[in-house]
Amino acid sequence: WSDSALGDPATDFVGVEAWGGRAFTERVLAAYGGPADAGFLERVRFRTLCVAVYTTKHALATSSPRELERSLKIMKCTLAGN
């Protein structure tokens, strides 16, 4: 429980968006049944991009081509709305 917190549920969908893309996120959100206001998916998108930028920086700093490829793919798909 050390990482439990009250916050924006959009944060919980960042991994879903990064892993499966927007269409998958929308399907998961429909099944979720929790609150999702008008800006929910935009906040998911923004936070997913933030994670992708951070992991790209980390991949460059640690010379990790696999992580770099994955991070750039997430960034490209998120920006394209896929």
Side-chain angles (χ1 to χ4, degrees):
W1 294 92
S2 64
D3 62 348
S4 65
L6 295 176
D8 186 354
T11 303
D12 298 330
F13 283 78
V14 170
V16 174
E17 179 98 353
W19 182 67
R22 178 48 54 104
F24 181 65
T25 301
E26 289 173 352
R27 289 194 309 271
V28 172
L29 182 59
Y32 168 63
D37 59 55
F40 187 88
L41 288 173
E42 186 56 33
R43 293 193 310 278
V44 172
R45 179 181 179 271
F46 174 75
R47 290 180 178 136
T48 302
L49 286 172
C50 289
V51 169
V53 168
Y54 175 80
T55 56
T56 298
K57 180 181 180 278
H58 182 264
L60 291 169
T62 59
S63 299
S64 176
R66 186 173 177 196
E67 184 178 12
L68 179 61
E69 180 181 350
R70 185 175 56 240
S71 298
L72 292 174
K73 180 180 178 185
I74 291 168
M75 205 178 307
K76 180 180 175 184
C77 288
T78 303
L79 288 169
N82 299 329

